[in-house]
Amino acid sequence: MHSALAAVGLTAAVARVLAEAAGILPRSPDLLEWRVDHFGGIADTAAVIETLRELRTAAGRLPIIFTCRAKKDGGHRIPIGEQQVVELYEAVAETRLVDFIDF
């Protein structure tokens, strides 16, 4: 039962990211920043990367900044440790789906 609830929660988190992008893109921004520290699926690297793929498709050639703010720097409290954040940055960098990584 818990895995079904987690899947629904993660699907909702992905949908929110894409809905926010859809609301922003028509305004012709210079770039998009994805604050992954607000993403409910941050602990699931595969979900983060899949969301990035969809975000990259939606953004086209618009530059994307990938950011994970620490709580002490004004970020959202996240359920992963510093080493996991570094590993997430590495995985995201390997995809080449983002133009900048802010750490």
Side-chain angles (χ1 to χ4, degrees):
M1 184 85 171
H2 288 293
S3 58
L5 291 175
V8 170
L10 184 53
T11 301
V14 173
R16 276 193 301 273
V17 170
L18 298 176
E20 285 181 25
I24 292 168
L25 290 170
R27 297 186 226 161
S28 301
D30 294 324
L31 56 88
L32 287 178
E33 178 182 23
W34 184 22
R35 288 281 307 276
V36 75
D37 51 296
H38 290 270
F39 182 59
I42 190 171
D44 183 347
T45 300
V48 170
I49 291 172
E50 183 55 35
T51 304
L52 272 176
R53 285 189 207 295
E54 293 186 43
L55 189 58
R56 172 84 280 157
T57 298
R61 300 187 73 161
L62 189 66
I64 298 174
I65 300 174
F66 183 83
T67 304
C68 183
R69 288 266 182 269
K71 183 153 177 69
K72 67 180 178 158
D73 296 325
H76 189 71
R77 186 167 188 263
I78 58 174
I80 61 175
E82 190 173 321
Q83 182 58 39
Q84 291 169 299
V85 171
V86 170
E87 291 168 4
L88 179 61
Y89 279 142
E90 289 172 348
V92 166
E94 287 176 8
T95 69
R96 302 182 65 83
L97 292 168
V98 299
D99 300 280
F100 304 98
I101 296 177
D102 179 8
F103 59 92

